[in-house]
Amino acid sequence: MSSTAGGDARPGQPEDPCKAREVLGIVGDKWSLLIVRNLSQGPRRFTELKRAVDGISQRMLTVTLRGLERDGILTRTVRNVMPPHVSYELTPMGMTLREAAAPLLEWSIAHLTHIDTARAAYDARPDTPST
């Protein structure tokens, strides 16, 4: 990575290519892409997302939704009815994230059984180090 002595990027170049880590931090956790995938079908309420994302706790869903909202991936809409109706929906940027992540999600589904088989074979080896 080239930069000037002061640490500034060259004109016309991104400020810091390593900032991609920030984006990976947004979507690289265990839950974010699953939530994005579920929201690609349209707005969802919290309880719908909780049912759709197997294994996520209520607290972790709340934390993940807040993070995705903060990063501009989704919007949260509150309708003042009784009881209040809160829904989540992907932003245009969130939809492009879904498009970019779709091949990775498809790959994971297609290869999950192979990964499970490889893990079982690895774990069964007598020379496998214990952690």
Side-chain angles (χ1 to χ4, degrees), residues 2-4 7-15:
S2 297
S3 63
T4 61
D8 297 327
R10 288 183 281 160
Q13 295 294 317
E15 184 179 313

Side-chain angles (χ1 to χ4, degrees), residues 63-119:
V63 167
T64 305
L65 288 169
R66 285 180 184 162
L68 291 171
E69 181 182 12
R70 179 176 183 256
D71 293 328
I73 305 299
L74 59 82
T75 58
R76 178 179 184 264
T77 303
V78 180
R79 288 180 180 66
N80 289 326
V81 294
M82 278 311 223
H85 179 109
V86 179
S87 63
Y88 299 88
E89 184 173 12
L90 291 178
T91 62
M93 184 171 60
M95 289 301 287
T96 64
L97 172 60
R98 168 61 178 122
E99 293 166 13
L104 177 60
L105 292 168
E106 290 167 13
W107 181 91
S108 65
I109 292 167
H111 292 90
L112 186 58
T113 56
H114 302 310
I115 292 168
D116 288 342
T117 301
R119 285 178 176 174

Side-chain angles (χ1 to χ4, degrees), residues 10 21 30 36 48 52 62-63 70 80 104 114 125 131:
R10 288 183 281 160
R21 280 181 271 170
K30 188 174 181 176
V36 168
E48 293 173 306
T62 298
V63 167
R70 179 176 183 256
N80 289 326
L104 177 60
H114 302 310
R125 291 186 347 205
T131 52

Side-chain angles (χ1 to χ4, degrees), residues 16-59:
D16 180 3
C18 292
K19 284 195 173 189
R21 280 181 271 170
E22 289 183 34
V23 175
L24 294 175
I26 295 168
V27 299
D29 67 67
K30 188 174 181 176
W31 306 110
S32 292
L33 290 181
L34 296 173
I35 291 169
V36 168
R37 181 182 66 182
N38 277 281
L39 290 176
S40 68
Q41 301 160 9
R44 296 284 185 263
R45 294 185 70 175
F46 185 93
T47 53
E48 293 173 306
L49 289 169
K50 176 83 172 71
R51 280 192 299 266
V53 181
D54 188 39
I56 194 167
S57 70
Q58 184 166 330
R59 181 184 181 289

